């Protein structure tokens, strides 16, 4: 299991478009991918769960990847989040 703390840089947070990009990226991997935001644990492969979490710009999240391709998933997911999920 790998864990990394990241900051959401999207100006309007994880609304529909960036949440969709995040979920599509997560779905490429077999491992479980969880986003922890405060007390919430969000399944990253569900666009509705990501959107419903209401994650705003500047929010620190913990990204957790657990499974057979966790290293590749962590690298790809971290890069996507740090680059603004196509909005920057």
């Amino acid at each position: 299991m790998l864990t990394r703390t990241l900051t959401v840089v999207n100006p309007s947070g994880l609304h529909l478009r960036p949440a969709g990009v995040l979920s599509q990226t997560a779905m490429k991997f077999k491992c479980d991918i969880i986003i922890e935001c405060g007390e919430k644990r969000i399944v990253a492969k569900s666009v509705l769960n990501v959107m419903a979490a209401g994650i705003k710009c500047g929010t620190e999240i913990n990204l957790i990847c657990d499974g057979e391709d966790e290293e590749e998933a962590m690298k790809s997911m971290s890069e996507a989040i740090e680059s603004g999920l196509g909005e920057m």
Side-chain angles (χ1 to χ4, degrees):
M1 178 165 69
L2 301 175
T3 303
R4 184 166 180 195
T5 301
L6 301 163
T7 302
V8 175
V9 296
N10 298 66
S12 51
L14 296 184
H15 60 88
L16 180 58
R17 196 173 310 114
V21 171
L22 183 75
S23 295
Q24 286 177 340
T25 303
M27 283 187 249
K28 295 176 184 175
F29 301 98
K30 295 177 184 172
C31 67
D32 293 328
I33 303 173
I34 303 292
I35 298 168
E36 285 185 339
C37 180
E39 298 297 314
K40 299 176 189 170
R41 288 180 59 89
I42 302 127
V43 176
K45 293 180 182 182
S46 168
V47 67
L48 293 176
N49 286 347
V50 174
M51 272 181 31
I55 299 172
K56 307 278 186 233
C57 181
T59 302
E60 274 196 357
I61 60 171
N62 288 321
L63 181 64
I64 302 166
C65 299
D66 187 18
E68 63 183 89
D69 54 356
E70 62 189 26
E71 290 181 18
E72 299 88 38
M74 180 63 75
K75 182 179 185 300
S76 183
M77 294 291 291
S78 296
E79 288 173 358
I81 293 167
E82 290 170 339
S83 70
L85 297 160
E87 287 201 328
M88 304 286 289

